[in-house]
Amino acid sequence: MLLSRAVRRHDERYPMSGVFPFEVEVLPTPQGHGYVELAVDRPNPFYSQGLVIRGHEFHYSRIVEDDAPAIGACAVLRGTGCGQNRDGLVLGNVWASYTHIHALGTPEWAQGLLTAARLHAPGAISNE
C-alpha cells in the first residue's frame, strides 16, 4: 500500500510514495485471507520461473481496478493476490505483493533477495 500512488478510504484519498502507478482502496470486509501458493511464471530479478512460493495473506484492501497494474510475476494457485489471479508485482528492483512469503515454506526467498541485490548494486560484478 505504501508503494502505491494513494490509499482511498471513506471518500478520502491519502497520497503514498508513488512507486507503483496505481491506487489502493480500503474496504470494510477482507479482500484476501488465508494460505497462498504462487507459481512464478514470468521473468523477474527475485525468483526463478517454476518456483512455487508459499505464504499467507490478510488484507482489507485491493488495487483500484481502473488503474490496471502491470501483470505480476506469479500466477495465484491458491489465494487472492493483487487481482486477476496474479501477484508479485515487479518494477525495477522492487517486489510488491499481498502475499507474506513464509520463510520455511519458501527457503529460496533469501537467495532470491541476494541475487536481486547483486543485480542492482552500483558497480556490482556477478560472481556467476
Side-chain angles (χ1 to χ4, degrees):
M1 293 172 68
L2 174 67
L3 298 174
S4 71
R5 283 193 314 243
V7 171
R8 301 178 190 176
R9 184 170 186 259
H10 299 304
D11 297 324
E12 296 287 331
R13 185 178 178 275
Y14 304 94
M16 294 289 130
S17 65
V19 172
F20 282 92
F22 55 78
E23 296 189 5
V24 173
E25 63 181 340
V26 177
L27 300 163
T29 57
Q31 300 301 298
H33 181 210
Y35 292 113
V36 176
E37 282 192 344
L38 309 174
V40 180
D41 62 359
R42 301 206 187 264
N44 70 87
F46 297 91
Y47 303 108
S48 61
Q49 291 185 49
L51 177 68
V52 174
I53 296 173
R54 292 177 178 84
H56 76 278
E57 63 185 343
F58 183 80
H59 53 98
Y60 281 76
S61 67
R62 67 179 177 200
I63 294 171
V64 176
E65 290 181 20
D66 296 343
D67 292 342
I71 293 174
C74 301
V76 176
L77 304 176
R78 177 180 180 177
T80 304
C82 291
Q84 301 173 3
N85 292 318
R86 305 296 299 173
D87 205 356
L89 302 176
V90 177
L91 184 62
N93 63 347
V94 178
W95 170 280
S97 69
Y98 273 117
T99 299
H100 302 126
I101 298 171
H102 190 282
L104 296 177
T106 310
E108 298 87 350
W109 76 268
Q111 186 58 50
L113 183 64
L114 292 173
T115 299
R118 279 191 210 105
L119 286 172
H120 290 89
I125 299 172
S126 176
N127 53 339
E128 293 181 3

